[in-house]
Amino acid sequence: MATRHEDSPEHKKAHDLAEQALDKAADGDARKARDLIEEAKRIDPKIGEEMSREAAEDQKKADKYVDKTDK
């Protein structure tokens, strides 16, 4: 369930910027990724914690998928 903080327009904007930063990093544009994440952190200083949690959850899902396809 989303908290009031997670429903705020600022948080949503910061989350969108952080997602864009991940895309830029995946494309190899580290400078743009860094700029986007810094902007996201200025808008919502907690965004880094959330993105870390999401990345860990995504990694667990990927690991389960790999384990299932290897058998």
Side-chain angles (χ1 to χ4, degrees), residues 54-70:
E54 286 184 15
E57 290 169 8
D58 289 347
Q59 185 63 53
K60 285 180 187 177
K61 289 176 188 174
D63 290 345
K64 286 181 184 178
Y65 177 78
V66 169
D67 289 343
K68 287 181 181 178
T69 60
D70 287 343

Side-chain angles (χ1 to χ4, degrees), residues 5-64:
H5 170 79
E6 291 170 343
D7 287 335
S8 72
E10 295 83 6
H11 175 79
K12 290 177 181 179
K13 175 67 175 170
H15 191 275
D16 288 345
L17 289 170
E19 291 282 350
Q20 290 175 33
L22 292 174
D23 290 342
K24 290 296 181 184
D27 290 342
D29 191 347
R31 177 174 285 174
K32 183 64 176 175
R34 215 174 7 259
D35 291 346
L36 287 166
I37 201 64
E38 289 304 319
E39 183 178 351
K41 288 165 60 176
R42 279 191 296 277
I43 294 169
D44 182 357
K46 296 180 182 180
I47 198 66
E49 296 168 21
E50 178 181 339
M51 297 307 289
S52 293
R53 267 194 321 275
E54 286 184 15
E57 290 169 8
D58 289 347
Q59 185 63 53
K60 285 180 187 177
K61 289 176 188 174
D63 290 345
K64 286 181 184 178

